[in-house]
Amino acid sequence: GAGVSQSPRYKVAKRGQDVALRCDPISGHVSLFWYQQALGQGPEFLTYFQNEAQLDKSGLPSDRFFAERPEGSVSTLKIQRTQQEDSAVYLCASSFSGGPMDTQYFGPGTRLTVL
Amino acid sequence: TQLLEQSPQFLSIQEGENLTVYCNSSSVFSSLQWYRQEPGEGPVLLVTVVTGGEVKKLKRLTFQFGDARKDSSLHITAAQPGDTGLYLCAGDSGGGADGLTFGKGTHLIIQP
């Protein structure tokens, strides 16, 4: 079956522009996670959804970052007024239930470059 | 803040050699996972260890979880070029809703 897909795969933005990154999780997966991976680093947790509810957004680095999952499936991560430090790969992962032993399946990521 | 430190950061060895990479923390995790990530792709889960002292084998890969559930190691026997990649360890605090805490990874290159 289809895995987690993300679009676009690459995004170049001028500083100050708004961007929207899309994640299509595996069908039927309840939980959805967003991570930010800077160059040469491991992924860092941003936010977590269970169905349409955003249960944890403690990892969002500023109020310029906003995520939604209005119908409990597709999710969008929006970054307003992008800054150079926002340049990173943004990874989306989904899991069946989100429990501590539940496998998270990652998408290929969106590489954001802010000029 | 829970931190996972991985070592070495970079490792380049010849095909056929053995290697061990480490993942250490001062915090206790309910489970620890190892992922491999290739360029342009997301991390792919290799194994999850849960019990202190647990050892799991996946073909030529052996994973061990420390007795205190604070550290882990990955040993690869007779490394092959296909093993090349970024190896990440990730800890789960058990809350479920907190996401995973990742280390910075070990960049492994196996030269033919």
Side-chain angles (χ1 to χ4, degrees):
Chain A
V4 178
S5 60
Q6 294 187 243
S7 61
R9 291 294 312 274
Y10 303 91
K11 176 69 178 178
V12 178
K14 292 183 178 179
R15 190 174 56 182
Q17 284 185 335
D18 299 347
V19 298
L21 312 179
R22 177 187 170 106
C23 172
D24 285 79
I26 294 173
S27 178
H29 277 194
V30 168
S31 298
L32 186 146
F33 302 80
W34 282 99
Y35 294 85
Q36 180 190 59
Q37 186 172 23
L39 187 63
Q41 306 292 315
E44 291 191 2
F45 170 76
L46 294 178
T47 188
Y48 161 70
F49 290 86
Q50 188 168 16
N51 295 307
E52 69 278 3
Q54 189 174 18
L55 299 186
D56 188 349
K57 53 182 181 179
S58 62
L60 295 176
S62 78
D63 59 7
R64 296 186 295 104
F65 287 70
F66 172 76
E68 60 182 5
R69 194 186 185 197
E71 298 180 357
S73 56
V74 172
S75 177
T76 303
L77 176 66
K78 297 179 179 178
I79 308 173
Q80 297 176 327
R81 304 180 304 280
T82 52
Q83 303 295 316
Q84 286 187 326
E85 61 263 29
D86 300 335
S87 295
V89 174
Y90 290 85
L91 295 165
C92 174
S94 70
S95 67
F96 183 69
S97 68
M101 289 298 296
D102 208 13
T103 299
Q104 293 188 25
Y105 296 88
F106 284 82
T110 294
R111 180 177 296 277
L112 172 65
T113 302
V114 181
L115 303 176
Chain B
T1 302
Q2 296 178 313
L3 293 175
L4 283 167
E5 294 186 2
Q6 291 191 243
S7 62
Q9 188 175 357
F10 298 96
L11 182 60
S12 178
I13 63 172
Q14 295 294 124
E15 180 177 3
E17 294 183 5
N18 302 331
L19 67 108
T20 302
V21 298
Y22 300 92
C23 174
N24 296 296
S25 175
S26 58
S27 303
V28 175
F29 291 95
S30 63
S31 68
L32 199 142
Q33 302 175 0
W34 284 91
Y35 291 80
R36 189 174 85 182
Q37 185 177 24
E38 299 189 29
E41 301 295 328
V44 175
L45 181 67
L46 297 173
V47 78
T48 300
V49 286
V50 179
T51 306
E54 181 177 7
V55 176
K56 282 192 174 180
K57 292 189 175 182
L58 184 66
K59 296 183 180 179
R60 293 177 294 100
L61 279 59
T62 302
F63 304 84
Q64 185 163 6
F65 202 13
D67 291 342
R69 305 209 316 274
K70 293 182 179 180
D71 53 83
S72 182
S73 64
L74 159 59
H75 181 79
I76 301 179
T77 303
Q80 299 178 1
D83 296 328
T84 293
L86 175 65
Y87 287 81
L88 295 158
C89 66
D92 191 321
S93 61
D98 297 334
L100 296 170
T101 299
F102 281 87
K104 292 184 177 181
T106 293
H107 295 263
L108 177 63
I109 296 174
I110 310 300
Q111 299 179 15

